Amino acid sequence: MLLDTNPNINGVIFDLDGVVVDTAHFHYTSWKALASEWKYTLTHEDNEKLKGISRKDSVVKIASWAKVKVSENELNEVANRKNEKYLALCTALTPNDILPGISEFIHELKASNVKVALGSASKNALFVLNKLKLTDFFDVVVDGNNVTNSKPDPEVFIKAAKLMNLDPKKCVVVEDAPAGIEAALSAGMLTVGLGNAEELRNAHLILPNAENLTLEQLNKLNQYHLT
Ligand code: BG6
Ligand code: MG
């Protein structure tokens, strides 16, 4: 067994939708409206499978559940319309919409010289971060515009660690989606799942939300890398 002499976490990578802000719910509402045009009722279980997945991959999944064939043109048209609905819901966002505990936790990380990154599948990440007035707190932002493969592929998190110049083992990912936890584990990172304990069971630490999340808790997670 190799002992890790530096037990500290050097970077935290936040997912955006459903972790920093409750836009996961806006995505769900927008997809539900589009799916109903195909006479398909999108369920909560379906939506869990869409979390963390890119816009285009989401259309493909919904079309397959609805058993409709879509051309490349139609796929793009549906994705664009979904985005219009989604952005209309996002325009009203303000810093008051930052989820409980997130601002405090980011401040604690910055005060402790822990790097802070965003690792999101969304192409609207900067728009949303600007609305929340959070952009300047992130040392690194990797979003849907910078990656080829969506979660559960680890690309987004590996890129974020590289840009922070950090060893993936010293990074913790905070996620609300099973696909995101899977991606972070494949990247060799420690994971915090926020939300449903059953759905996020593969995470190293599971909490209902970020309200009581502290750096001390993350540093304790490092024991998982000691074997
Ligand atoms: C992820 C969401 O963060 O971003 C998904 O969990 C969403 O639901 C994906 O489809 C892509 O987002 P956007 O904003 O580029 O359509
Ligand atoms: Mg999410």
Side-chain angles (χ1 to χ4, degrees), residues 7-33:
N8 292 333
I9 293 302
N10 300 137
V12 176
I13 308 173
F14 290 84
D15 172 48
L16 176 67
D17 299 312
V19 166
V20 172
V21 57
D22 193 14
T23 38
H25 159 75
F26 294 166
H27 282 295
Y28 185 27
T29 308
S30 314
W31 283 131
K32 221 175 159 54

PDB file of all heavy atoms in Angstrom, residues 7-33:
ATOM      1  N   PRO A   7      -2.458  14.852   2.022  1.00  0.00           N
ATOM      2  CA  PRO A   7      -3.864  14.430   2.056  1.00  0.00           C
ATOM      3  C   PRO A   7      -4.820  15.481   1.496  1.00  0.00           C
ATOM      4  O   PRO A   7      -6.020  15.256   1.466  1.00  0.00           O
ATOM      5  CB  PRO A   7      -4.107  14.229   3.553  1.00  0.00           C
ATOM      6  CG  PRO A   7      -3.183  15.188   4.213  1.00  0.00           C
ATOM      7  CD  PRO A   7      -1.989  15.341   3.322  1.00  0.00           C
ATOM      8  N   ASN A   8      -4.285  16.608   1.046  1.00  0.00           N
ATOM      9  CA  ASN A   8      -5.209  17.689   0.697  1.00  0.00           C
ATOM     10  C   ASN A   8      -5.701  17.683  -0.742  1.00  0.00           C
ATOM     11  O   ASN A   8      -4.994  17.303  -1.658  1.00  0.00           O
ATOM     12  CB  ASN A   8      -4.577  19.042   1.011  1.00  0.00           C
ATOM     13  CG  ASN A   8      -4.427  19.227   2.504  1.00  0.00           C
ATOM     14  OD1 ASN A   8      -5.192  18.649   3.274  1.00  0.00           O
ATOM     15  ND2 ASN A   8      -3.432  19.977   2.908  1.00  0.00           N
ATOM     16  N   ILE A   9      -6.921  18.129  -0.874  1.00  0.00           N
ATOM     17  CA  ILE A   9      -7.558  18.304  -2.178  1.00  0.00           C
ATOM     18  C   ILE A   9      -7.093  19.645  -2.747  1.00  0.00           C
ATOM     19  O   ILE A   9      -7.076  20.647  -2.030  1.00  0.00           O
ATOM     20  CB  ILE A   9      -9.095  18.316  -1.978  1.00  0.00           C
ATOM     21  CG1 ILE A   9      -9.587  16.949  -1.515  1.00  0.00           C
ATOM     22  CG2 ILE A   9      -9.823  18.786  -3.224  1.00  0.00           C
ATOM     23  CD1 ILE A   9      -9.251  15.811  -2.444  1.00  0.00           C
ATOM     24  N   ASN A  10      -6.705  19.653  -4.025  1.00  0.00           N
ATOM     25  CA  ASN A  10      -6.202  20.896  -4.626  1.00  0.00           C
ATOM     26  C   ASN A  10      -7.186  21.574  -5.574  1.00  0.00           C
ATOM     27  O   ASN A  10      -6.972  22.721  -5.961  1.00  0.00           O
ATOM     28  CB  ASN A  10      -4.895  20.629  -5.396  1.00  0.00           C
ATOM     29  CG  ASN A  10      -3.812  20.084  -4.486  1.00  0.00           C
ATOM     30  OD1 ASN A  10      -3.102  19.159  -4.841  1.00  0.00           O
ATOM     31  ND2 ASN A  10      -3.694  20.639  -3.297  1.00  0.00           N
ATOM     32  N   GLY A  11      -8.222  20.831  -5.987  1.00  0.00           N
ATOM     33  CA  GLY A  11      -9.165  21.439  -6.927  1.00  0.00           C
ATOM     34  C   GLY A  11     -10.548  20.820  -6.816  1.00  0.00           C
ATOM     35  O   GLY A  11     -10.677  19.625  -6.528  1.00  0.00           O
ATOM     36  N   VAL A  12     -11.551  21.648  -7.000  1.00  0.00           N
ATOM     37  CA  VAL A  12     -12.929  21.143  -6.989  1.00  0.00           C
ATOM     38  C   VAL A  12     -13.579  21.528  -8.318  1.00  0.00           C
ATOM     39  O   VAL A  12     -13.510  22.683  -8.747  1.00  0.00           O
ATOM     40  CB  VAL A  12     -13.731  21.717  -5.796  1.00  0.00           C
ATOM     41  CG1 VAL A  12     -15.183  21.254  -5.857  1.00  0.00           C
ATOM     42  CG2 VAL A  12     -13.100  21.279  -4.475  1.00  0.00           C
ATOM     43  N   ILE A  13     -14.168  20.536  -8.971  1.00  0.00           N
ATOM     44  CA  ILE A  13     -14.832  20.773 -10.257  1.00  0.00           C
ATOM     45  C   ILE A  13     -16.337  20.638 -10.051  1.00  0.00           C
ATOM     46  O   ILE A  13     -16.824  19.579  -9.645  1.00  0.00           O
ATOM     47  CB  ILE A  13     -14.353  19.770 -11.332  1.00  0.00           C
ATOM     48  CG1 ILE A  13     -12.816  19.752 -11.404  1.00  0.00           C
ATOM     49  CG2 ILE A  13     -14.959  20.122 -12.690  1.00  0.00           C
ATOM     50  CD1 ILE A  13     -12.248  18.661 -12.318  1.00  0.00           C
ATOM     51  N   PHE A  14     -17.038  21.706 -10.323  1.00  0.00           N
ATOM     52  CA  PHE A  14     -18.491  21.718 -10.133  1.00  0.00           C
ATOM     53  C   PHE A  14     -19.194  21.457 -11.452  1.00  0.00           C
ATOM     54  O   PHE A  14     -18.871  22.071 -12.473  1.00  0.00           O
ATOM     55  CB  PHE A  14     -18.957  23.101  -9.643  1.00  0.00           C
ATOM     56  CG  PHE A  14     -18.540  23.433  -8.240  1.00  0.00           C
ATOM     57  CD1 PHE A  14     -17.278  23.962  -7.975  1.00  0.00           C
ATOM     58  CD2 PHE A  14     -19.403  23.220  -7.179  1.00  0.00           C
ATOM     59  CE1 PHE A  14     -16.897  24.266  -6.675  1.00  0.00           C
ATOM     60  CE2 PHE A  14     -19.023  23.528  -5.878  1.00  0.00           C
ATOM     61  CZ  PHE A  14     -17.768  24.056  -5.626  1.00  0.00           C
ATOM     62  N   ASP A  15     -20.176  20.576 -11.416  1.00  0.00           N
ATOM     63  CA  ASP A  15     -21.154  20.525 -12.494  1.00  0.00           C
ATOM     64  C   ASP A  15     -22.006  21.795 -12.329  1.00  0.00           C
ATOM     65  O   ASP A  15     -22.013  22.403 -11.248  1.00  0.00           O
ATOM     66  CB  ASP A  15     -21.998  19.255 -12.333  1.00  0.00           C
ATOM     67  CG  ASP A  15     -23.163  19.210 -13.291  1.00  0.00           C
ATOM     68  OD1 ASP A  15     -22.958  19.468 -14.484  1.00  0.00           O
ATOM     69  OD2 ASP A  15     -24.301  18.940 -12.831  1.00  0.00           O
ATOM     70  N   LEU A  16     -22.691  22.211 -13.377  1.00  0.00           N
ATOM     71  CA  LEU A  16     -23.490  23.442 -13.262  1.00  0.00           C
ATOM     72  C   LEU A  16     -24.970  23.145 -12.970  1.00  0.00           C
ATOM     73  O   LEU A  16     -25.481  23.442 -11.886  1.00  0.00           O
ATOM     74  CB  LEU A  16     -23.372  24.248 -14.569  1.00  0.00           C
ATOM     75  CG  LEU A  16     -24.218  25.517 -14.642  1.00  0.00           C
ATOM     76  CD1 LEU A  16     -23.740  26.555 -13.637  1.00  0.00           C
ATOM     77  CD2 LEU A  16     -24.167  26.107 -16.058  1.00  0.00           C
ATOM     78  N   ASP A  17     -25.639  22.548 -13.973  1.00  0.00           N
ATOM     79  CA  ASP A  17     -27.094  22.357 -13.888  1.00  0.00           C
ATOM     80  C   ASP A  17     -27.445  21.348 -12.795  1.00  0.00           C
ATOM     81  O   ASP A  17     -27.061  20.186 -12.870  1.00  0.00           O
ATOM     82  CB  ASP A  17     -27.630  21.859 -15.238  1.00  0.00           C
ATOM     83  CG  ASP A  17     -27.371  22.864 -16.361  1.00  0.00           C
ATOM     84  OD1 ASP A  17     -27.662  24.046 -16.169  1.00  0.00           O
ATOM     85  OD2 ASP A  17     -26.874  22.453 -17.430  1.00  0.00           O
ATOM     86  N   GLY A  18     -28.167  21.804 -11.783  1.00  0.00           N
ATOM     87  CA  GLY A  18     -28.573  20.898 -10.703  1.00  0.00           C
ATOM     88  C   GLY A  18     -27.601  20.887  -9.535  1.00  0.00           C
ATOM     89  O   GLY A  18     -27.875  20.274  -8.511  1.00  0.00           O
ATOM     90  N   VAL A  19     -26.448  21.546  -9.695  1.00  0.00           N
ATOM     91  CA  VAL A  19     -25.473  21.626  -8.597  1.00  0.00           C
ATOM     92  C   VAL A  19     -25.315  23.071  -8.137  1.00  0.00           C
ATOM     93  O   VAL A  19     -25.489  23.385  -6.965  1.00  0.00           O
ATOM     94  CB  VAL A  19     -24.105  21.032  -9.030  1.00  0.00           C
ATOM     95  CG1 VAL A  19     -23.004  21.399  -8.049  1.00  0.00           C
ATOM     96  CG2 VAL A  19     -24.206  19.523  -9.131  1.00  0.00           C
ATOM     97  N   VAL A  20     -24.997  23.945  -9.093  1.00  0.00           N
ATOM     98  CA  VAL A  20     -24.816  25.361  -8.758  1.00  0.00           C
ATOM     99  C   VAL A  20     -26.167  26.079  -8.773  1.00  0.00           C
ATOM    100  O   VAL A  20     -26.427  26.981  -7.992  1.00  0.00           O
ATOM    101  CB  VAL A  20     -23.822  26.008  -9.759  1.00  0.00           C
ATOM    102  CG1 VAL A  20     -23.742  27.507  -9.576  1.00  0.00           C
ATOM    103  CG2 VAL A  20     -22.436  25.381  -9.614  1.00  0.00           C
ATOM    104  N   VAL A  21     -27.035  25.637  -9.648  1.00  0.00           N
ATOM    105  CA  VAL A  21     -28.332  26.302  -9.851  1.00  0.00           C
ATOM    106  C   VAL A  21     -29.353  25.261 -10.317  1.00  0.00           C
ATOM    107  O   VAL A  21     -28.992  24.273 -10.956  1.00  0.00           O
ATOM    108  CB  VAL A  21     -28.156  27.447 -10.906  1.00  0.00           C
ATOM    109  CG1 VAL A  21     -27.608  26.929 -12.219  1.00  0.00           C
ATOM    110  CG2 VAL A  21     -29.430  28.246 -11.124  1.00  0.00           C
ATOM    111  N   ASP A  22     -30.621  25.491 -10.002  1.00  0.00           N
ATOM    112  CA  ASP A  22     -31.632  24.475 -10.316  1.00  0.00           C
ATOM    113  C   ASP A  22     -32.148  24.550 -11.755  1.00  0.00           C
ATOM    114  O   ASP A  22     -33.350  24.444 -12.014  1.00  0.00           O
ATOM    115  CB  ASP A  22     -32.798  24.553  -9.325  1.00  0.00           C
ATOM    116  CG  ASP A  22     -33.692  23.327  -9.429  1.00  0.00           C
ATOM    117  OD1 ASP A  22     -33.253  22.334 -10.065  1.00  0.00           O
ATOM    118  OD2 ASP A  22     -34.811  23.351  -8.915  1.00  0.00           O
ATOM    119  N   THR A  23     -31.235  24.687 -12.701  1.00  0.00           N
ATOM    120  CA  THR A  23     -31.631  24.703 -14.111  1.00  0.00           C
ATOM    121  C   THR A  23     -31.958  23.301 -14.624  1.00  0.00           C
ATOM    122  O   THR A  23     -32.521  23.168 -15.713  1.00  0.00           O
ATOM    123  CB  THR A  23     -30.502  25.311 -14.969  1.00  0.00           C
ATOM    124  OG1 THR A  23     -29.267  24.857 -14.415  1.00  0.00           O
ATOM    125  CG2 THR A  23     -30.539  26.822 -14.969  1.00  0.00           C
ATOM    126  N   ALA A  24     -31.605  22.264 -13.837  1.00  0.00           N
ATOM    127  CA  ALA A  24     -31.937  20.893 -14.240  1.00  0.00           C
ATOM    128  C   ALA A  24     -33.442  20.795 -14.481  1.00  0.00           C
ATOM    129  O   ALA A  24     -33.912  20.123 -15.410  1.00  0.00           O
ATOM    130  CB  ALA A  24     -31.505  19.918 -13.160  1.00  0.00           C
ATOM    131  N   HIS A  25     -34.160  21.541 -13.652  1.00  0.00           N
ATOM    132  CA  HIS A  25     -35.606  21.562 -13.707  1.00  0.00           C
ATOM    133  C   HIS A  25     -36.090  22.284 -15.002  1.00  0.00           C
ATOM    134  O   HIS A  25     -37.065  21.885 -15.632  1.00  0.00           O
ATOM    135  CB  HIS A  25     -36.025  22.246 -12.410  1.00  0.00           C
ATOM    136  CG  HIS A  25     -37.349  22.831 -12.348  1.00  0.00           C
ATOM    137  ND1 HIS A  25     -38.463  22.057 -12.212  1.00  0.00           N
ATOM    138  CD2 HIS A  25     -37.751  24.122 -12.374  1.00  0.00           C
ATOM    139  CE1 HIS A  25     -39.515  22.857 -12.148  1.00  0.00           C
ATOM    140  NE2 HIS A  25     -39.114  24.095 -12.253  1.00  0.00           N
ATOM    141  N   PHE A  26     -35.348  23.323 -15.440  1.00  0.00           N
ATOM    142  CA  PHE A  26     -35.684  24.018 -16.697  1.00  0.00           C
ATOM    143  C   PHE A  26     -35.450  23.107 -17.902  1.00  0.00           C
ATOM    144  O   PHE A  26     -36.210  23.121 -18.859  1.00  0.00           O
ATOM    145  CB  PHE A  26     -34.823  25.279 -16.887  1.00  0.00           C
ATOM    146  CG  PHE A  26     -35.058  26.382 -15.903  1.00  0.00           C
ATOM    147  CD1 PHE A  26     -34.145  27.431 -15.799  1.00  0.00           C
ATOM    148  CD2 PHE A  26     -36.185  26.411 -15.090  1.00  0.00           C
ATOM    149  CE1 PHE A  26     -34.344  28.467 -14.901  1.00  0.00           C
ATOM    150  CE2 PHE A  26     -36.398  27.447 -14.190  1.00  0.00           C
ATOM    151  CZ  PHE A  26     -35.470  28.475 -14.100  1.00  0.00           C
ATOM    152  N   HIS A  27     -34.346  22.325 -17.833  1.00  0.00           N
ATOM    153  CA  HIS A  27     -34.071  21.388 -18.937  1.00  0.00           C
ATOM    154  C   HIS A  27     -35.235  20.394 -19.046  1.00  0.00           C
ATOM    155  O   HIS A  27     -35.734  20.113 -20.134  1.00  0.00           O
ATOM    156  CB  HIS A  27     -32.765  20.616 -18.679  1.00  0.00           C
ATOM    157  CG  HIS A  27     -31.510  21.392 -18.963  1.00  0.00           C
ATOM    158  ND1 HIS A  27     -31.160  21.809 -20.224  1.00  0.00           N
ATOM    159  CD2 HIS A  27     -30.516  21.811 -18.143  1.00  0.00           C
ATOM    160  CE1 HIS A  27     -29.999  22.456 -20.179  1.00  0.00           C
ATOM    161  NE2 HIS A  27     -29.587  22.468 -18.924  1.00  0.00           N
ATOM    162  N   TYR A  28     -35.657  19.895 -17.886  1.00  0.00           N
ATOM    163  CA  TYR A  28     -36.735  18.890 -17.849  1.00  0.00           C
ATOM    164  C   TYR A  28     -38.016  19.452 -18.469  1.00  0.00           C
ATOM    165  O   TYR A  28     -38.635  18.826 -19.339  1.00  0.00           O
ATOM    166  CB  TYR A  28     -36.952  18.464 -16.390  1.00  0.00           C
ATOM    167  CG  TYR A  28     -37.947  17.339 -16.165  1.00  0.00           C
ATOM    168  CD1 TYR A  28     -38.204  16.388 -17.142  1.00  0.00           C
ATOM    169  CD2 TYR A  28     -38.602  17.222 -14.943  1.00  0.00           C
ATOM    170  CE1 TYR A  28     -39.105  15.348 -16.902  1.00  0.00           C
ATOM    171  CE2 TYR A  28     -39.502  16.188 -14.699  1.00  0.00           C
ATOM    172  CZ  TYR A  28     -39.751  15.264 -15.682  1.00  0.00           C
ATOM    173  OH  TYR A  28     -40.639  14.243 -15.455  1.00  0.00           O
ATOM    174  N   THR A  29     -38.403  20.657 -18.035  1.00  0.00           N
ATOM    175  CA  THR A  29     -39.627  21.284 -18.545  1.00  0.00           C
ATOM    176  C   THR A  29     -39.556  21.459 -20.069  1.00  0.00           C
ATOM    177  O   THR A  29     -40.527  21.193 -20.788  1.00  0.00           O
ATOM    178  CB  THR A  29     -39.803  22.684 -17.896  1.00  0.00           C
ATOM    179  OG1 THR A  29     -39.702  22.530 -16.496  1.00  0.00           O
ATOM    180  CG2 THR A  29     -41.118  23.322 -18.252  1.00  0.00           C
ATOM    181  N   SER A  30     -38.401  21.897 -20.556  1.00  0.00           N
ATOM    182  CA  SER A  30     -38.255  22.156 -21.998  1.00  0.00           C
ATOM    183  C   SER A  30     -38.296  20.857 -22.798  1.00  0.00           C
ATOM    184  O   SER A  30     -38.961  20.771 -23.840  1.00  0.00           O
ATOM    185  CB  SER A  30     -36.937  22.885 -22.284  1.00  0.00           C
ATOM    186  OG  SER A  30     -36.757  23.942 -21.389  1.00  0.00           O
ATOM    187  N   TRP A  31     -37.596  19.832 -22.302  1.00  0.00           N
ATOM    188  CA  TRP A  31     -37.620  18.542 -23.017  1.00  0.00           C
ATOM    189  C   TRP A  31     -39.013  17.922 -23.004  1.00  0.00           C
ATOM    190  O   TRP A  31     -39.447  17.321 -23.989  1.00  0.00           O
ATOM    191  CB  TRP A  31     -36.624  17.550 -22.392  1.00  0.00           C
ATOM    192  CG  TRP A  31     -35.193  17.785 -22.749  1.00  0.00           C
ATOM    193  CD1 TRP A  31     -34.146  17.843 -21.884  1.00  0.00           C
ATOM    194  CD2 TRP A  31     -34.632  17.964 -24.066  1.00  0.00           C
ATOM    195  NE1 TRP A  31     -32.978  18.059 -22.581  1.00  0.00           N
ATOM    196  CE2 TRP A  31     -33.241  18.129 -23.907  1.00  0.00           C
ATOM    197  CE3 TRP A  31     -35.165  17.992 -25.359  1.00  0.00           C
ATOM    198  CZ2 TRP A  31     -32.388  18.329 -24.990  1.00  0.00           C
ATOM    199  CZ3 TRP A  31     -34.314  18.203 -26.435  1.00  0.00           C
ATOM    200  CH2 TRP A  31     -32.951  18.367 -26.252  1.00  0.00           C
ATOM    201  N   LYS A  32     -39.710  18.072 -21.885  1.00  0.00           N
ATOM    202  CA  LYS A  32     -41.054  17.493 -21.749  1.00  0.00           C
ATOM    203  C   LYS A  32     -41.976  18.075 -22.831  1.00  0.00           C
ATOM    204  O   LYS A  32     -42.740  17.347 -23.483  1.00  0.00           O
ATOM    205  CB  LYS A  32     -41.596  17.834 -20.361  1.00  0.00           C
ATOM    206  CG  LYS A  32     -42.322  16.698 -19.690  1.00  0.00           C
ATOM    207  CD  LYS A  32     -42.713  17.117 -18.270  1.00  0.00           C
ATOM    208  CE  LYS A  32     -43.838  16.282 -17.741  1.00  0.00           C
ATOM    209  NZ  LYS A  32     -43.664  14.853 -17.774  1.00  0.00           N
ATOM    210  N   ALA A  33     -41.885  19.395 -23.046  1.00  0.00           N
ATOM    211  CA  ALA A  33     -42.716  20.056 -24.054  1.00  0.00           C
ATOM    212  C   ALA A  33     -42.402  19.518 -25.447  1.00  0.00           C
ATOM    213  O   ALA A  33     -43.310  19.235 -26.245  1.00  0.00           O
ATOM    214  CB  ALA A  33     -42.478  21.567 -23.998  1.00  0.00           C
TER     215      ALA A  33
END
